[in-house]
Amino acid sequence: MKLQQLRYIVEVVNHQLNVSLTAMNLYTSQPVISKQVKMLEDELGIKIFSRNGKHLTSITPTGKRIVQIARDILYQIESIKLISDKHKWVDKGTLYVVTTYTQSRYILPNVIKNFIKKYPNISLHIHQGSPKQIATSVLKGYADFAIATESFHLYDDLLMFPCHHWSQSIIVPKNHNLANKKNITLEELSDYPLVTYTFGFAGRSELDKAFNRLGLHPKIVFTATNSDIIKTYVRLGLGVGIIANMAIEKKLDSDLVKISTNDIFKVNTTKLGFLKTTFLRTYMYDFISFFSSHLTKNIIDRALSLSSKKDIENIFKKFLLPSF
């Protein structure tokens, strides 16, 4: 069994079983990869992939377990290299973070400002994506950290640390019928056309659940992943806006009226996650603590030493998370 063979099977899975694309990205040929995969299967005496002729069609149940172990091995090897680099290049490296528009637009700017001030030689990359894209990026090793607020079932293979709470707010123009109300019920809200997030983004699932619990059917007329776009269409009179409270800025949004939703929608929690096999360098610990001050190196290391997700969750029950 060769290390290169393990790398090949992992990359084949990463490229949706497309051997040609895998070869192109690894700067080798398709026959080389096919041959090495077959040699590994012959040595192990099992099939990692199912085939239709020469084409790979799926990964076998046993193959899934082997690929996961191969990923862990490759991550551990990368960690050995990183330990060496940590001592040779104390203040150099890269950090890839993938998150949503709302987090990158309203929460991360101050975090990034503090980070680059302390680590000017670290190459920091912030990417935006859907919950599925965020999870996939970290699971496949394309990103180090995932920052997520929705669809946490997608992150079951990551260690997820709660960072802060946040709530939704209703926004309307100053001349709107609801502008003078301090509170509003879901029944009242369901009478108006709504402008809010696309499903899977920024707490949208909790919004839908709240309506469903009362058997109500919201009139959602426009959705977007971008809070600024939602505000634009609210200003045009398309409907009542429901957006993350953090996305409302006093000066820039002074023409809009904000109405609290604390009585009708549950509070959302933003979490930061990574693979347990990730080797955390000093600047990575610091990025996490810049993002959420209660996540100190000691707390993170303590969580990493635990095997049960329930035990990890219990660590954070005593923390009072900041709210936005």
Side-chain angles (χ1 to χ4, degrees):
M1 186 185 305
K2 300 177 181 177
L3 185 62
Q4 189 72 302
Q5 292 173 330
L6 300 182
R7 183 169 286 110
Y8 283 163
I9 63 172
V10 168
E11 287 302 317
V12 165
V13 173
N14 286 349
H15 290 88
Q16 288 75 52
L17 309 188
N18 188 324
V19 179
S20 297
L21 185 60
T22 304
M24 186 186 307
N25 280 273
L26 294 179
Y27 301 100
T28 186
S29 66
Q30 180 177 342
V32 167
I33 292 180
S34 297
K35 179 181 178 181
Q36 290 299 322
V37 170
K38 186 66 169 59
M39 287 174 64
L40 178 60
E41 289 179 322
D42 290 344
E43 180 181 347
L44 297 175
I46 55 92
K47 294 293 182 184
I48 298 173
F49 300 104
S50 298
R51 294 169 172 78
N52 183 4
K54 293 183 179 180
H55 299 287
L56 304 183
T57 56
S58 64
I59 181 170
T60 66
T62 303
K64 287 181 181 179
R65 295 173 60 190
I66 291 172
V67 169
Q68 184 55 58
I69 294 171
R71 285 190 195 279
D72 292 342
I73 292 171
L74 294 173
Y75 281 130
Q76 293 298 339
I77 290 172
E78 188 62 27
S79 294
I80 293 173
K81 295 178 182 177
L82 288 171
I83 291 172
S84 173
D85 290 342
K86 178 181 177 181
H87 293 283
K88 290 189 296 184
W89 312 105
V90 178
D91 62 345
K92 292 184 179 180
T94 59
L95 178 59
Y96 288 85
V97 181
V98 59
T99 185
T100 61
Y101 171 87
T102 302
Q103 295 295 317
S104 60
R105 167 70 173 81
Y106 298 103
I107 301 299
L108 282 176
N110 284 334
V111 175
I112 294 169
K113 181 180 179 181
N114 292 331
F115 182 83
I116 61 178
K117 182 178 181 180
K118 184 170 183 178
Y119 296 103
N121 295 321
I122 300 299
S123 180
L124 177 63
H125 304 266
I126 307 293
H127 299 283
Q128 298 171 33
S130 67
K132 186 175 182 180
Q133 289 169 332
I134 293 170
T136 300
S137 294
V138 177
L139 288 170
K140 291 189 175 182
Y142 303 146
D144 301 296
F145 294 156
I147 297 176
T149 60
E150 278 269 10
S151 305
F152 289 120
H153 65 280
L154 296 171
Y155 306 90
D156 285 343
D157 293 327
L158 303 183
L159 290 177
M160 299 298 289
F161 295 81
C163 299
H164 55 255
H165 297 312
W166 56 275
S167 58
Q168 304 275 11
S169 286
I170 295 167
I171 53 170
V172 294
K174 289 185 174 180
N175 61 353
H176 194 276
N177 293 341
L178 298 177
N180 294 321
K181 294 185 72 70
K182 292 185 178 180
N183 295 292
I184 188 171
T185 66
L186 279 177
E187 287 85 355
E188 289 177 291
L189 197 56
S190 65
D191 290 333
Y192 292 88
L194 303 180
V195 181
T196 189
Y197 297 106
T198 303
F199 189 82
F201 286 81
R204 169 61 193 280
S205 61
E206 286 301 327
L207 183 152
D208 289 349
K209 288 176 184 177
F211 281 105
N212 290 336
R213 279 193 290 268
L214 296 182
L216 299 172
H217 302 284
K219 302 173 184 176
I220 297 175
V221 296
F222 182 86
T223 63
T225 61
N226 184 314
S227 306
D228 294 327
I229 292 177
I230 293 172
K231 287 186 281 188
T232 296
Y233 282 92
V234 169
R235 290 184 172 101
L236 290 174
L238 189 64
V240 173
I242 304 177
I243 65 173
N245 191 53
M246 70 187 83
I248 303 170
E249 301 171 284
K250 280 190 176 180
K251 290 184 179 179
L252 292 177
D253 301 322
S254 59
D255 58 326
L256 299 174
V257 175
K258 180 176 75 171
I259 305 170
S260 172
T261 67
N262 291 343
D263 295 331
I264 57 177
F265 296 134
K266 288 185 178 180
V267 170
N268 298 278
T269 301
T270 294
K271 297 182 180 182
L272 183 148
F274 51 85
L275 288 163
K276 191 168 185 177
T277 51
T278 300
F279 174 75
L280 295 174
R281 297 183 63 178
T282 300
Y283 63 81
M284 298 170 83
Y285 280 108
D286 282 345
F287 180 92
I288 297 172
S289 64
F290 286 147
F291 186 70
S292 192
S293 58
H294 69 279
L295 293 177
T296 62
K297 184 178 186 300
N298 287 339
I299 291 296
I300 295 169
D301 286 345
R302 181 182 166 194
L304 288 172
S305 69
L306 300 173
S307 57
S308 165
K309 284 192 175 183
K310 187 175 182 180
D311 289 339
I312 294 173
E313 290 172 359
N314 287 335
I315 293 177
F316 300 103
K317 286 185 177 179
K318 64 179 180 180
F319 289 110
L320 181 63
L321 300 183
S323 297
F324 291 96

